[in-house]
Each structure stands twice: as structure tokens, then as C-alpha cells.
Amino acid sequence: MLDAARKLRPDLYVVAELFTGSEELDNVFVTRLGISSLIREAMSAYNSHEEGRLVYRYGGEPVGSFVQPSLRPLVPGIAHALFMDVTHDNESPITHRSAYDSLPSSAIVSMACCATGSTRGYDELVPHQISVVTEERFYTKWNPNVAVLSAGEVNASSGIIAGKNALNRLHQELAARGFIQVYVDQVDEDIVAVTRHCPHTHQSVVAVSRTAFRDPKTSFYSKEVPQMCIPGKIEEVILEARTVERSAEPYKQDERFINGLPQYTVEIREHIQLADSKIVRQAGVTTKGPNEFVQEIDFENLTPGSVIIFRVSLDPNAQKSVGILRSHLIQFRPHFKSGSLQDDQQYPILKIPFETIASKLSLADLNHVLYRCDAEEQEDGGGTYNIPNWTPLKYAGLQGLLSVMADIRPNNDLGHPFCDNLRSGDWMIDYVSNRLIVRGGACADVGKWFSAMFSYLKTIPRYLIPCYFDAILVGAYTTVLEAAWKQMSSFVQNGSTLVKHLALGSVQMCGVGRFPALPVLSPSLTDVPYRTNNITQEKEQCCPSLAAGLPHFSSGIFRCWGRDTFISLRGLLLVTGRHVEARNIILAFAGTLRHGLIPNLLGQGTYARYNCRDAVWWWLQCIQDYCNIVPNGISILKCPVSRMYPKDDSTPLPAGQVDQPLYEVIQEALQRHAQGMNFRERNAGPQIDRNMRDEGFNINVGVDPVTGFVYGGNRLNCGTWMDKMGESEKARNKGIPATPREGSAVEIVGLSKSTVRWLTDLNEKKVYPYKGVTVKREGKEVLLTFSEWDKLIQNHFERHFHVSEDPNDPNEQRPDLVHKRGIYKDSCGASSPWCDYQLRPNFPVAMVVAPELFTASKAWKALEIVEMKLMGPLGMKTLDPDDMVYCGVYDNALDNENYNVAKGFNYHQGPEWLWPIGYFLRAKLHFAKLIDQETYQKTVVLVKNVLSRHYIHLERSSWKGLPELTNENGQYCSFSCETQAWSISVVLEVLHDL
């Protein structure tokens, strides 16, 4: 450890050596002082950054440190230290070094930002260890009134006492005046410069000490002392001192008193001007970069054993800029009042409180200010900021910067490439303001505010830019977060920290870029946002849309998916109070209804794919939720829908050509299901799906006349959310769905039950004009009322879906396939019957949307099995671990001969998806209430424990979101979206239920 310290960090070695009084480090003593951890820190710093200027932090923060929040995460730190130049149980340093080294070593110790101490005898230059056990002599007495001292007396001229007195006064002054930041520079083998810095006034005190481990009289020391550059303006020389010899009798150990070397004393001068210094030859002013002024110091008489200490201020222009910056930052934190200056010629935008500027931002604007991943920015002609020698930011907005700074700030990692980039130039600074100014509108005002603040930031010394850049962004960031929450529901505004942070997922996922992702709404609809197209200068709609997940599903035709949108809409838009955006999305998708289905991939409507059976039922569930949650929400049923495809074979029609009220579109969807649908996808073939086999493009959907269950699909397509299509030719799974789930999927049965129950009620209240749907029975068209449809599902559900715990249950048609009893089947009527019996996390969805289908005791038993078998740290296993094809690790890049995993074939065969856990927890809460109060209270505890893990992930995620999925046992999956709309949404819904 000693060798490593000597080679890698000579400054650390010098400091450590001071404390031992010996060139051989006492490992026990070093460990007691915490030096071993500092050496490890030094090695780490050496390997990672700044080879030229070595920084060693002891007892204080680095110069230019970030302003820490009053409430912040607990981070590792060095224990409070008592730094001593020598302790009672160590030899006198003079026995291994020269007496000339005592003064500079004390100066280095006194510049530490912590408690310092010494042992009696060090200042008098006692050349031996004073034994606390055997020493019987007296200490010398203080006598300031005589010029010639006796052996038993000392005064200010003895040893280094005068120098130590001045150093102790300076140490006290630095502590009292808040000089809490420290920078150590090992100038050369013998010279150490220590800077103490006040972060409020940005005044510094710089001590330059020339050590003298070897006796200058017998060892060579170069007279060529390196020039030093001190940033700022030197106000005065606080002190300069050097150890000198004087005429005296040779040292002899006194018999009565503990005496020191009499032939050494200190020459000291305090509070003099630089021009009067006897140590400095000359000083010149130069610049280092455009806005950083430094004084070049040439030393003439910095002999071994000398110390000179400067008081340094920023140059006047930089000091003014810092003061003005601090005055504008007071609005965010009173801490900045100290050292602030009034801005007499401030920019007009800075006269407006930033809170007022932020209050004009819509939630769609805030999506631009805070978020937008690289793909979203590229679609608009930009991109996220790329930090050289590191990585691009996750977001172009403030969150991208704040996520990095959240890791840097607690540790004051000023050597991070992020900070290097800020010190090296203004590129990142200009990026922040310019991308918002170009955006226009309220965003441009935020950009102009940043630009004005940054005009001052650019004129301060570069070493201070990271901390003030951080302070500006933190103030703005916290203000715009408050602005976002103020536009949301009372549930969010009055909610917990977790609720508020999850609600920001609504801002993160819901936005509009240069090219709107949603089809155009009916021109007769009110409250639709419009803007002027920058190219055509024509008025166009700019409705925000929901991205499925970032970064993979964020832009272009792959941004919007019917299923993802409507699983996410209740939590992200309805619960958060974004009712207009929710309405517009519901109506936009309604306009794309075709074949009685809502598209899976929206593709702006013109590139839509109608290959999923469940999106339409999630859409219907969201309409129901909208009516129930939004004040006067039932009015949405009469809102105009511009039909893009009024007939299955229509070409895309412009908005406004064929308008219908929403209730007619709803009725068409239900009617088409009741009649049955059989069609082939348009443009079927590799041009729309390079993996699917020909039969997979054939879509069939209907309603079973006996049970009322919606059914559909075939063995070569996958029309539910478990939609992984095999891709590997090597494993021979290409074109084969991993989880076709054809027949009646349990969640679709639940969703359809919820819809017909709701429409029955609306019809009885004369709100919905249709009583039911027409179906063919024995060649005749008859009315199947929604009430009758509802009863069909109710009467047949548990009979067909519940797996009885009784092996002799007559309702069980395939007891040979049962491998878990007391659960609910995943589907009914699959072409591979064993798939019906697989334990998956889908039936809790039906429990939430249609709890009346379930007997409470049976439901509770099934949920307990799900909890035991499927629940992971963040998500739910998508398949029973006891299943023979279970594999919990998803690797989409793996292409081998293993049929079950090649090219990610196990996407839904084990990996733990987050969105199902929301429905599981909501189902637990619902049925726990039906059992008893004690069970409910225990369930609440369970739910809170589970959600605490989501909170931790959300806090630690640089994306500030919840992922699409994890691998088994919550392990990170690199192929997952880092933040997924429905993952955030369902957790919000659980909290809303609580």
C-alpha cells in the first residue's frame, strides 16, 4: 500500500507521512486515520481521470463542489477526522527528517478542513519522542519578556511557535468563514499547494509549502522552483514564513525540562502585498480560456522549510457574474443569498419569476422540456446530447441531464466526463437553451430564460461552471415538476412522492412531435389543440399520443399501439386528470375501426394492422372508465368520430367526410363480433411481417352462442398481448407463435363481460340507444340483448375456466391435462388443449374488470397460487416455473437450435412483465375486502411492500420509469424497454385503488 501511495499519489504519501513521523508508514496508525481508504480513493482517481493535476480530498469538499439538497440520499463518506502533525505515541519527525520540515508539514495539516491537533514538543522542535510512561521532566515555561531564554523557557521565537500560532489563527478563520472546499496540488516532489475555497464568496486561500524531508545543509534541493498559476486575483499574502538557523549553543537534553532544538526559529511576515514578498520574485496576470484570469507566480526564495499563503478572489468581472447568478438563483433556494449581487442590467426574461414562465407550459410542452428520447428527437431533426468519452444522454430534456447529475452530485465527481465537457466548452450549455428556443411557444420562453442565465454562467471561471450549471438546472427542474403536478388531478397533487413521480410518466410518454402520430380528429370536435405547420404554414392538429415504451416504441409508425395505449390510458391520463388528451386518443382510435377491430399497430391509421383480438376490448374498457371517472364523462358517447374506414374496403378518408357519434362506432364493434369476422390482412406477406406464415394472416373472431365467450385466432397467429412470433430458422420456430392463445383468452372474456354489463346499464338509463346486437339463430336474425349476453358469460365462466380442486369434478373435460388445481385457465378452446391449463398471470385482469364472474373463495385461492408461483420482485412471471417450456431469461439476440428460446421465443414464457402485477395487486385488494378486514389489512401490507420495490427502481432509474419486463427474479433485461407506459400506468392504478 505504501509503494502504491508513493508512486501514484505523492501528495497523499506526503500527507500520510506527516502523521506518522516516520518514512515507514505504520499501517495500524494509517488505518486508524482512514488513510488506507484515501489511498484506495487516490488509486481510483489516478486510474479514472486527471493524471496531470492530482486532487486529494481530506476533511472537506472539492473546490467547485455541487450544492447539495437539504434532503438527499445517504452516501458513503470519510469519518470526521482529527488531523495531527504528530501524536504522543509516535517518534518526533525530526528523528527521520530535518527540523526544516516541521513548519511546512504543519502548514499542510492546518489547511485541512477538519479538526487539527499536535503534541506538545512538536512546535519547540523536541528531537525525540516524549514517553508518556517514563518521562519525568517538566515541560518548559512560557516567557515572552526575555530575549535570551534559559533551558526551561520558551516564547514566540522558539522553534516554529510563531509560525504555528499564525497557522492556527488562519485555520480558525477559514472554518468560521465557510472555506469548506479543498484542493491539493502536488506541484513537484517537495512542493504541495493546498487551496481552501469558500463556495459562497468564491474567495480562496492558497498555501504553498516546500517540505524538507532531507536536511538542506547536506542534501541537494533545486533552486528552480516550478512557476505556479493561481486562478483569480491575489488580494494579499496572508503570511510568508521560513525556518532559519540562528546562533545558539548546540542542543543538549536538559535534565529538568523537556527542551527543543535552540538553533532554529521562524522568520514570518503577515498581511503584506504581493510586491513586498521576499519569496515571490514576480507575478503576472494572464488568461486561461476566454473568461478565466490567472496570476503567474515565479518564486525566488521558496527554500526548503518555507511557506507562503495567498488570499485570492475572483477577478472583478467573474465575481460580478457569480453574484448576479446567485441573485437569480435565490428564487429557488435562499442559500444563494450569500454572495449575491443585484442585476442592474438584467435581461427582460429574467425579470419574470421562473415559476411564472413555467406555469405557461402545457403538459405537452413539458414533455419537450423534460423528456424526449433520442428517437423522438431525431424524428424532429435533432438528437440527444452526446457526451464525449461517455454516452449520449437518455433524454434531450432536463431529465436527461438531471439523471446524470443525480449520480455525480452526491459524490462530487467533478472528474466525470459530463463535468469535463462543461469545463471544456459551452456546447452542452447552448444545447439546453437552443433546442427549446427553436421549439417556439412557451418552450421558447424557457429556452430564453436559460440562455439569459447561461450568458452569466459563461463568464465565470470554468472550474465553477459544473456547480452553477447544476444549480440552474435543479432550480428549473423542480419548478417545472411543480408546474406539471399543478395541472393534474387532486389525486396526484395530494399524493405521495411515489404517486407524483409515477404521474410524471404521463408527461414522459404523452407528447407530440413534428409529425403527429394520431389520425386527424373530426373538425367539429371542440378543445382540439392546433398549431401552424412550419413548412406549409397551414393550421394542423397536434394531439399528444401515448408512446408504448422508450426507447424502442417512441417514434414513427411504431410509437402507437392500440393494446398498449388502452392498457395505459386509465392510469396515465384518466387517473392523472388529463381528460381531454384521453378523449382525443379514444376518438382518434375510434376513427380507425375496421372489421370491428381497433388496430394493434396504429401507423397513423394509414399503416394500421388489424391483427389483434384484444385491443378493441381494452378500448371499450377505457371508454367505460372515461364515463365513470370524468365529470360528465358520458358525453363522450355523442362526440363525433371521423371514420377513416367507414367500410372494410374503404380507402383512407379525410377527417370530417364521414362522421359518426362514438356510440355508433361502439355498436358497430359489438355487432361485428356478434356476427363473426373472417378476413385476411391487407398486403399479407413479408412486406408487413417477414416471419409470419401465410395462414397467420387470416383473422377470424366471433362470439360463442352458447357461452357468450369471444373467441378467435388460429395456431399460426397471436392476437393477444402475448404475441411473440418465432423468428429463428436455425431452431425451426420461424413463423410459429410462441403463445397463440387462440380460442377464448381469459382476459378478453373478462373485458367483454365488463362491456356488456356496462352497456346493459346505460341502455336501461336511456343513455345508450341500443339494447343489444342481432345474431343469426336457425337462419333468422334475432336480438341478443346485452343483458342476455352478460348472463351467458356469467353462467358459463367458472364452469369452463375454473380448475376445481376436486379431481372428480364433472365439469372438467380434460382432467389428464390438469397440473395446478384451484387456478383459472388461461384460455378455453385452444387448438393445443394443454395450453388452456397453463398457469399465467392473465386471469387477474378479468378479476379486476369483471369481479362478479368469480366466487370470492375460489378467486382468493387462485390468487394465492399466483402469488406463490408467479410474482417476482417487480413483475409477474408469464408462465408457471413448473411448466416444461418455462425459461425466465429473454435474449432476443440468441440464435441457436433451441426451439424454446432461439431469437427470444420465450418472450412470454417466463420473463417477468410488469403490467400484469398491477392487475394482480388490484385483484388481491378487491377480493381481500370480501373475505374479512384482517385479510384486507394484510393485503394492504403486501401491496405496499411490493410497490416499495417499484419506488426504489423508479428512483434509481436514469430513465425515471419502470421497465417493460425483467428476467427471472427481477434481473435486468437489456432487451426490455427501459420505461414502459403500461408498467407505470398499472402501478398508479394500484395506488389509486388504495
Side-chain angles (χ1 to χ4, degrees):
M1 190 168 68
L2 175 61
D3 290 338
R6 184 187 288 117
K7 292 176 183 177
L8 298 180
R9 295 300 299 275
D11 58 328
L12 179 59
Y13 177 73
V14 168
V15 174
E17 192 180 356
L18 290 174
F19 303 129
T20 63
S22 159
E23 194 168 351
E24 292 300 320
L25 280 170
D26 176 350
N27 282 333
V28 174
F29 183 71
V30 167
T31 302
R32 190 194 320 167
L33 284 177
I35 301 297
S36 60
S37 65
L38 300 182
I39 292 174
R40 287 191 292 272
E41 181 182 338
M43 293 175 179
S44 173
Y46 178 86
N47 290 328
S48 60
H49 47 253
E50 293 201 74
E51 297 180 358
R53 293 176 65 84
L54 301 175
V55 178
Y56 164 54
R57 173 167 55 94
Y58 62 104
E61 300 173 350
V63 172
S65 291
F66 297 105
V67 177
Q68 302 294 344
S70 54
L71 182 65
R72 55 177 170 150
L74 188 65
V75 296
I78 300 167
H80 290 290
L82 171 62
F83 272 25
M84 304 185 70
D85 40 30
V86 71
T87 66
H88 69 277
D89 56 355
N90 284 92
E91 298 175 274
S92 168
I94 299 174
T95 60
H96 294 278
R97 309 182 203 161
S98 72
Y100 289 89
D101 188 61
S102 297
L103 178 64
S105 292
S106 282
I108 294 172
V109 172
S110 72
M111 290 297 288
C113 185
C114 65
T116 60
S118 187
T119 297
R120 179 71 191 271
Y122 181 92
D123 298 347
E124 295 104 307
L125 303 182
V126 174
H128 58 82
Q129 183 178 0
I130 301 171
S131 173
V132 297
V133 177
T134 61
E135 182 62 74
E136 296 182 352
R137 294 176 299 161
F138 294 101
Y139 285 116
T140 50
K141 298 178 181 179
W142 182 257
N143 188 350
N145 300 317
V146 296
V148 180
L149 298 169
S150 66
E153 297 176 322
V154 292
N155 61 21
S157 66
S158 304
I160 64 167
I161 288 177
K164 192 65 166 287
N165 181 33
L167 291 170
N168 285 341
R169 282 188 276 111
L170 177 62
H171 181 80
Q172 185 178 25
E173 176 195 338
L174 295 178
R177 294 180 56 191
F179 284 70
I180 60 173
Q181 297 182 347
V182 182
Y183 176 81
V184 179
D185 183 10
Q186 182 76 37
V187 179
D188 71 3
E189 182 182 2
D190 305 309
I191 299 173
V192 178
V194 183
T195 299
R196 288 281 295 277
H197 183 83
C198 175
H200 303 290
T201 64
H202 294 295
Q203 194 175 69
S204 298
V205 171
V206 182
V208 182
S209 305
R210 190 169 190 186
T211 59
F213 290 179
R214 308 178 306 279
D215 191 336
K217 294 183 293 185
T218 58
S219 301
F220 172 76
Y221 283 89
S222 174
K223 293 183 180 181
E224 298 296 323
V225 177
Q227 184 187 68
M228 282 192 65
C229 293
I230 297 179
K233 177 185 176 184
I234 296 177
E235 301 285 354
E236 67 166 343
V237 176
I238 297 174
L239 71 84
E240 61 178 26
R242 63 192 185 105
T243 308
V244 296
E245 280 200 62
R246 62 182 175 182
S247 298
E249 294 292 326
Y251 173 76
K252 180 180 178 182
Q253 192 174 100
D254 191 82
E255 293 182 357
R256 295 185 58 216
F257 296 96
I258 303 171
N259 58 323
L261 300 177
Q263 66 269 37
Y264 296 99
T265 190
V266 169
E267 288 184 355
I268 183 169
R269 303 168 73 214
E270 297 185 70
H271 303 292
I272 61 174
Q273 292 302 303
L274 191 62
D276 299 327
S277 170
K278 294 182 179 179
I279 290 180
V280 174
R281 179 165 61 241
Q282 65 180 18
V285 178
T286 185
T287 59
K288 180 184 178 184
N291 305 307
E292 190 163 355
F293 295 86
V294 299
Q295 291 203 243
E296 296 177 335
I297 304 297
D298 289 323
F299 294 102
E300 180 178 41
N301 201 22
L302 189 66
T303 57
S306 299
V307 175
I308 183 168
I309 303 178
F310 306 98
R311 190 183 304 280
V312 184
S313 298
L314 298 180
D315 73 89
N317 289 335
Q319 190 70 56
K320 181 179 179 181
S321 293
V322 167
I324 292 172
L325 269 179
R326 294 182 72 87
S327 71
H328 290 301
L329 290 170
I330 294 172
Q331 62 184 304
F332 304 126
R333 191 172 180 184
H335 161 89
F336 290 104
K337 190 170 184 179
S338 172
S340 64
L341 293 173
Q342 190 63 37
D343 189 356
D344 297 327
Q345 297 177 330
Q346 61 182 315
Y347 294 86
I349 193 73
L350 294 182
K351 295 178 181 178
I352 307 170
F354 185 74
E355 184 179 8
T356 302
I357 297 171
S359 68
K360 297 177 182 178
L361 295 165
S362 69
L363 290 172
D365 291 330
L366 286 165
N367 172 260
H368 276 264
V369 173
L370 285 168
Y371 301 106
R372 292 183 64 82
C373 69
D374 190 58
E376 292 174 285
E377 286 289 294
Q378 286 191 24
E379 191 173 41
D380 287 357
T384 56
Y385 190 82
N386 187 13
I387 298 174
N389 303 315
W390 202 54
T391 61
L393 298 177
K394 299 295 188 290
Y395 294 111
L398 297 183
Q399 186 61 66
L401 300 154
L402 268 294
S403 289
V404 180
M405 291 191 289
D407 292 332
I408 297 172
R409 190 186 309 112
N411 301 308
N412 278 316
D413 186 6
L414 294 168
H416 192 283
F418 183 95
C419 298
D420 285 342
N421 188 254
L422 283 169
R423 288 189 293 264
S424 299
D426 298 333
W427 313 288
M428 191 190 305
I429 294 170
D430 290 336
Y431 173 86
V432 171
S433 57
N434 290 347
R435 71 174 285 271
L436 294 175
I437 292 172
V438 170
R439 169 78 177 168
C443 289
D445 289 340
V446 175
K448 290 172 185 175
W449 184 88
F450 276 126
S451 182
M453 291 289 284
F454 292 158
S455 68
Y456 297 114
L457 182 72
K458 293 175 182 178
T459 61
I460 69 176
R462 302 306 298 191
Y463 73 90
L464 291 177
I465 284 181
C467 70
Y468 278 100
F469 180 76
D470 177 60
I472 293 168
L473 262 65
V474 167
Y477 174 77
T478 54
T479 303
V480 297
L481 292 191
E482 289 294 336
W485 292 323
K486 285 179 181 178
Q487 297 180 57
M488 295 186 185
S489 64
S490 59
F491 167 68
V492 175
Q493 293 181 35
N494 302 324
S496 64
T497 302
L498 177 56
V499 167
K500 289 184 174 181
H501 286 185
L502 287 166
L504 291 174
S506 170
V507 182
Q508 182 187 101
M509 294 293 176
C510 191
V512 57
R514 181 191 295 181
F515 307 107
L518 295 178
V520 179
L521 297 172
S522 170
S524 62
L525 190 66
T526 59
D527 297 330
V528 177
Y530 283 84
R531 68 186 178 191
T532 301
N533 188 295
N534 292 332
I535 299 173
T536 65
Q537 296 302 308
E538 293 180 356
K539 190 177 178 182
E540 67 178 12
Q541 290 183 9
C542 53
C543 294
S545 61
L546 276 174
L550 309 181
H552 306 316
F553 306 113
S554 59
S555 62
I557 66 170
F558 297 107
R559 175 178 174 86
C560 292
W561 300 74
R563 175 189 303 122
D564 297 71
T565 293
F566 294 111
I567 291 177
S568 308
L569 188 136
R570 181 177 185 267
L572 292 186
L573 299 184
L574 296 180
V575 166
T576 59
R578 302 186 66 176
H579 301 154
V580 173
E581 291 96 330
R583 182 205 66 177
N584 292 343
I585 290 172
I586 288 170
L587 297 178
F589 272 88
T592 65
L593 187 87
R594 199 176 200 178
H595 308 289
L597 297 175
I598 291 294
N600 181 22
L601 176 66
L602 178 62
Q604 290 103 34
T606 53
Y607 299 98
R609 283 195 70 186
Y610 296 85
N611 62 333
C612 71
R613 309 192 305 274
D614 57 350
V616 67
W617 297 105
W618 285 110
W619 171 73
L620 289 164
Q621 182 65 38
C622 280
I623 299 172
Q624 179 183 169
D625 292 334
Y626 183 95
C627 292
N628 292 334
I629 292 174
V630 178
N632 194 31
I634 205 74
S635 63
I636 194 176
L637 298 177
K638 295 181 180 180
C639 284
V641 175
S642 279
R643 296 295 300 274
M644 185 175 282
Y645 306 107
K647 297 180 179 180
D648 291 349
D649 57 356
S650 298
T651 57
L653 298 182
Q657 186 166 330
V658 176
D659 278 10
Q660 291 178 292
L662 178 60
Y663 67 80
E664 288 190 5
V665 184
I666 293 172
Q667 184 63 21
E668 181 179 328
L670 294 164
Q671 183 61 53
R672 294 296 299 272
H673 276 76
Q675 290 177 348
M677 294 172 277
N678 287 280
F679 65 94
R680 184 171 174 82
E681 283 196 80
R682 279 164 179 75
N683 302 312
Q687 61 269 31
I688 63 169
D689 194 324
R690 66 172 186 260
N691 296 309
M692 187 173 280
R693 299 186 183 184
D694 186 73
E695 186 184 337
F697 294 105
N698 299 330
I699 308 298
N700 70 295
V701 181
V703 177
D704 187 293
V706 176
T707 63
F709 300 164
V710 175
Y711 66 85
N714 62 54
R715 63 184 185 87
L716 291 178
N717 60 32
C718 32
T720 72
W721 78 276
M722 293 184 164
D723 56 358
K724 177 64 181 181
M725 180 62 71
E727 302 176 44
S728 175
E729 292 182 349
K730 187 180 293 185
R732 297 181 178 84
N733 65 24
K734 186 172 182 177
I736 300 174
T739 46
R741 303 187 69 223
E742 74 272 44
S744 298
V746 65
E747 74 276 17
I748 294 179
V749 173
L751 288 163
S752 61
K753 173 65 164 66
S754 174
T755 297
V756 295
R757 178 198 65 220
W758 171 60
L759 292 179
T760 299
D761 182 61
L762 292 187
N763 178 256
E764 290 174 355
K765 294 177 179 177
K766 309 299 183 184
V767 176
Y768 188 79
Y770 298 98
K771 193 172 184 178
V773 292
T774 57
V775 296
K776 283 194 174 183
R777 295 285 189 269
E778 299 177 354
K780 296 180 182 180
E781 286 194 351
V782 296
L783 178 68
L784 174 65
T785 66
F786 294 127
S787 176
E788 291 169 342
W789 191 350
D790 177 71
K791 290 175 182 176
L792 282 176
I793 301 173
Q794 182 71 46
N795 294 335
H796 290 88
F797 180 78
E798 284 206 331
R799 191 186 310 168
H800 286 81
F801 276 94
H802 186 248
V803 180
S804 174
E805 295 185 86
D806 179 5
N808 300 315
D809 186 346
N811 289 321
E812 190 54 70
Q813 297 179 352
R814 292 296 304 271
D816 56 311
L817 297 177
V818 174
H819 62 101
K820 285 281 189 306
R821 294 197 173 275
I823 66 169
Y824 287 85
K825 298 175 186 175
D826 188 56
S827 58
C828 179
S831 59
S832 298
W834 60 272
C835 293
D836 288 343
Y837 293 85
Q838 289 181 306
L839 175 61
R840 296 187 185 273
N842 294 311
F843 66 77
V845 174
M847 288 181 169
V848 171
V849 297
E852 69 275 11
L853 289 173
F854 298 83
T855 304
S857 59
K858 293 177 180 178
W860 189 253
K861 174 67 176 180
L863 288 168
E864 286 185 322
I865 295 172
V866 168
E867 180 181 338
M868 180 176 62
K869 286 294 182 179
L870 301 185
M871 192 172 75
L874 292 178
M876 302 293 285
K877 293 178 176 64
T878 38
L879 182 61
D880 183 357
D882 297 333
D883 196 290
M884 61 184 294
V885 297
Y886 169 86
C887 179
V889 177
Y890 174 61
D891 185 349
N892 197 45
L894 177 68
D895 191 8
N896 57 18
E897 295 182 355
N898 187 332
Y899 180 91
N900 292 324
V901 299
K903 298 293 288 183
F905 197 66
N906 64 315
Y907 198 28
H908 305 100
Q909 301 279 53
E912 296 165 10
W913 286 68
L914 267 72
W915 82 265
I917 205 168
Y919 281 90
F920 164 73
L921 295 176
R922 292 176 68 195
K924 284 277 286 188
L925 287 168
H926 175 84
F927 286 103
K929 283 183 181 178
L930 301 182
I931 295 176
D932 55 53
Q933 187 62 26
E934 181 183 356
T935 301
Y936 178 70
Q937 293 300 330
K938 288 180 179 179
T939 303
V940 169
V941 172
L942 166 73
V943 170
K944 290 181 177 180
N945 286 338
V946 172
L947 296 188
S948 68
R949 298 194 286 264
H950 295 88
Y951 184 34
I952 291 170
H953 184 95
L954 192 67
E955 284 288 299
R956 294 178 178 175
S957 166
S958 57
W959 289 84
K960 291 301 170 189
L962 297 175
E964 174 187 18
L965 60 96
T966 70
N967 286 331
E968 59 187 359
N969 301 319
Q971 298 175 48
Y972 174 72
C973 177
S974 61
F975 297 94
S976 165
C977 276
E978 299 285 355
T979 175
Q980 190 87 352
W982 59 19
S983 299
I984 300 170
S985 171
V986 295
V987 177
L988 259 178
E989 290 183 86
V990 174
L991 289 163
H992 190 257
D993 282 4
L994 279 174

